[in-house]
């Protein structure tokens, strides 16, 4: 009954009932969990409650000397942690991580596996999906278990004829929604015949749960069987580029500039503004394409998805591809000369005026506040 694309993986039909629980790849860098891992634990928790009372959320922590991360996973909602440690897993390599996690999946048989759509998640997930002979839906922005909640969403956000959907239909698996064709339509993808169902999910889209200090869970230690022969790439050195310093996904306040700045020097004002309010500089694609700022600052469909507490959109019209990356921000402040710009319509606070007058005034007021 679903008018959705089937993500079938291989031809083999598996015993669906053998698969249980939701796994989240708890991506870490330098022994620190990425924000997206905590968001996915939150989303996993929500989905698990919809599936059944005894469905568990399990964070998969991989690395070397990363056992300290288990507490944080429990605090954000994980019922279990599968800890996979080995000196060969200290640095991320596709081969070693894919083998270790695939082996664990084959032993424990999770129903769903979620990864952040980060560089590592996007590299790792397809390798594991191929090894497990299952499908993968990349870049999801929404996941549903219940047919009824999906229908509600589809009615509001898609042109799908929802009368064809049966709310009493037994679950065909998760409904994985992702933008397609340049964000012009939302595609829904299901995996009715293969397990585990796998998705990469954009950072900044799902909701973290409130932290519960001292929360307890079950620790499962999985010993991977990997050797140097499994790894075909040798990492000689890791060089951090200055670009990595832009942490849009973790920022509470983002000050973004667009074509309305007029030229590259406009970003000096945006930087001053961001420094004053304790924020990070973002941008629209038009500003990036004009060469005014590096792509690592770009917010939107082909940039980063963000969900800060406050998003200042300065001289940004509010094209759908930009909105796709920031519209779930807690508070949106638009500064624009054009009162009819789409950004002004979705903003919580719309300031109509020249940004070169408005921003210095906000900076001055900030000092007085
Ligand atoms: P404009 O649309 O030109 O808007 C400039 C705004 O500044 C106007 O509203 C104007 O009124 C205002 N303005 C001008 N001067 C002033 C002033 N002095 N003071 C105040 N306001 C002023 N875009 C993204 O941002 N992110 C993406 O990830 C992205 N991905 C894309 C993917 C695809 C496949 C495609 C086709 C497009 C994508 N785009 C993306 C581009 C998007 O469609 C828009 O072209 C872009 O967002 C426009 O950027 P802008 O708002 O800065 O510029």
């Amino acid at each position: 009954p679903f008018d959705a694309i089937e993500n079938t993986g291989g031809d083999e039909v598996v015993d669906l009932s053998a698969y249980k629980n939701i796994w989240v790849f708890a991506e870490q860098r330098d022994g620190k969990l990425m924000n997206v891992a905590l968001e996915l634990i939150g989303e996993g928790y929500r989905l698990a409650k919809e599936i059944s009372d005894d469905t568990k959320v399990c964070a998969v922590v991989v690395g070397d000397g990363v056992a300290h991360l288990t507490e944080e996973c429990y605090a954000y909602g994980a019922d279990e942690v599968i800890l996979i440690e080995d000196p060969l897993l200290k640095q991320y390599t596709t081969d070693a991580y894919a083998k270790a996690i695939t082996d664990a999946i084959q032993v424990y048989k999770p129903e769903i596996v979620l990864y952040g759509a980060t560089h590592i998640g996007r590299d790792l997930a397809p390798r594991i999906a191929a090894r497990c002979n299952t499908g993968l839906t990349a870049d999801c922005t929404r996941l549903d278990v219940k047919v009824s909640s999906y229908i509600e969403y589809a009615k509001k956000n898609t042109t799908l004829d929802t009368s064809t959907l049966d709310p009493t239909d037994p679950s065909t698996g998760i409904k994985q929604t992702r933008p397609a064709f340049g964000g012009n339509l939302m595609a829904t993808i299901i995996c009715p015949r293969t397990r585990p169902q796998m998705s990469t999910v954009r950072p900044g889209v799902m909701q973290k749960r409130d932290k519960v200090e001292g929360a307890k869970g079950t620790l499962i230690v999985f010993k991977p069987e990997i050797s140097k022969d499994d790894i075909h790439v040798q990492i000689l050195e890791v060089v951090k580029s200055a670009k990595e310093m832009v942490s849009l996904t973790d920022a509470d306040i983002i000050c973004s500039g667009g074509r309305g700045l007029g030229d590259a020097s406009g970003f000096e004002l945006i930087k001053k503004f961001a420094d004053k309010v304790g924020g990070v500089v973002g941008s629209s694609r038009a500003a990036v394409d004009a060469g005014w700022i590096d792509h690592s600052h770009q917010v939107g469909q082909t940039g980063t998805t963000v969900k800060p507490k406050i998003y200042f959109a300065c001289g940004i019209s509010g094209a759908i591809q930009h909105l796709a990356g920031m519209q779930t921000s807690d508070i949106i402040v638009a500064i624009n000369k054009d009162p009819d710009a789409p950004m002004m319509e979705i903003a919580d606070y719309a300031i109509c005026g020249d940004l070169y007058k408005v921003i210095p005034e906000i900076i001055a007021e900030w000092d007085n506040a």
Side-chain angles (χ1 to χ4, degrees):
F2 266 95
D3 185 12
I5 304 161
E6 277 188 29
N7 200 341
T8 52
D11 294 332
E12 188 193 347
V13 177
V14 299
D15 171 13
L16 303 187
S17 65
Y19 291 78
K20 199 159 172 54
N21 299 331
I22 300 176
W23 281 17
V24 169
F25 170 58
E27 185 176 336
Q28 53 88 18
R29 302 256 171 102
D30 301 327
K32 265 189 78 186
L33 284 173
M34 303 278 288
N35 223 2
V36 67
L38 305 177
E39 291 165 7
L40 291 184
I41 291 172
E43 177 65 5
Y45 185 94
R46 188 185 73 77
L47 295 173
K49 294 283 161 272
E50 288 197 359
I51 295 174
S52 69
D53 286 343
D54 61 345
T55 298
K56 295 192 178 99
V57 184
C58 173
V60 183
V61 177
V62 187
D64 186 35
V66 287
H68 62 283
L69 299 176
T70 51
E71 303 298 317
E72 201 175 352
C73 294
Y74 300 143
Y76 280 95
D79 301 300
E80 292 178 347
V81 168
I82 295 202
L83 182 63
I84 309 181
E85 286 188 302
D86 190 284
L88 291 173
L89 297 168
K90 185 159 184 65
Q91 296 282 8
Y92 172 78
T93 58
T94 313
D95 297 324
Y97 271 56
K99 173 149 193 347
I101 299 173
T102 306
D103 288 352
I105 287 175
Q106 274 154 4
V107 172
Y108 297 105
K109 298 196 182 333
E111 188 180 356
I112 297 169
V113 186
L114 306 177
Y115 310 77
T118 59
H119 294 302
I120 287 182
R122 284 175 170 164
D123 178 63
L124 182 63
R127 276 20 185 259
I128 297 176
R131 284 170 162 88
C132 294
N133 205 20
T134 189
L136 169 73
T137 305
D139 241 5
C140 296
T141 52
R142 189 182 162 95
L143 302 169
D144 285 284
V145 170
K146 280 192 187 155
V147 180
S148 52
S149 60
Y150 176 68
I151 290 179
E152 219 173 276
Y153 164 78
K155 270 188 187 158
K156 281 197 212 132
N157 297 285
T158 71
T159 52
L160 193 67
D161 175 9
T162 50
S163 64
T164 61
L165 304 178
D166 174 6
T168 59
D169 183 21
S171 174
T172 45
I174 42 171
K175 271 58 78 185
Q176 303 154 304
T177 305
R178 52 153 299 160
F181 295 104
N184 289 320
L185 62 84
M186 301 303 275
T188 300
I189 297 168
I190 54 172
C191 307
R193 289 183 288 125
T194 57
R195 292 292 181 273
Q197 303 163 87
M198 292 202 196
S199 325
T200 61
V201 180
R202 286 193 184 187
V205 175
M206 302 304 180
Q207 199 73 41
K208 248 195 289 189
R209 286 176 56 74
D210 290 337
K211 189 171 187 183
V212 179
E213 295 287 356
K216 295 268 172 275
T218 308
L219 178 63
I220 299 165
V221 177
F222 181 78
K223 273 272 147 241
E225 284 183 18
I226 39 175
S227 74
K228 282 199 173 129
D229 294 342
D230 293 318
I231 304 172
H232 300 101
V233 171
Q234 196 189 349
I235 295 182
L236 301 178
E237 193 187 357
V238 177
V239 182
K240 287 199 177 148
S241 73
K243 285 184 193 169
E244 282 183 34
M245 304 305 287
V246 185
S247 186
L248 284 169
T249 42
D250 292 335
D252 279 342
I253 302 179
I254 295 176
C255 302
S256 277
R259 196 172 356 230
L261 292 175
D263 59 37
S265 65
F267 274 101
E268 286 164 24
L269 178 64
I270 299 294
K271 172 87 177 63
K272 196 169 161 203
F273 184 25
D275 287 346
K276 177 62 65 183
V277 301
V280 166
V281 174
S283 76
S284 72
R285 175 160 154 182
V288 172
D289 287 350
W292 299 346
I293 191 160
D294 187 81
H295 176 262
S296 56
H297 294 266
Q298 184 179 314
V299 171
Q301 189 191 309
T302 43
T304 305
T305 304
V306 298
K307 196 178 180 308
K309 292 195 176 129
I310 310 180
Y311 188 87
F312 289 97
C314 313
I316 298 180
S317 58
I320 184 149
Q321 296 90 353
H322 189 84
L323 299 183
M326 46 64 67
Q327 62 192 351
T328 58
S329 303
D330 290 353
I331 297 173
I332 297 170
V333 183
I335 304 170
N336 202 304
K337 281 204 296 203
D338 176 4
D340 298 322
M343 186 64 84
M344 300 288 264
E345 279 176 28
I346 69 146
D348 299 282
Y349 298 94
I351 305 173
C352 190
D354 183 345
L355 65 91
Y356 285 100
K357 291 206 179 112
V358 175
I359 296 176
E361 280 180 35
I362 299 178
I363 292 174
E365 277 301 316
W366 203 273
D367 278 335
N368 295 335

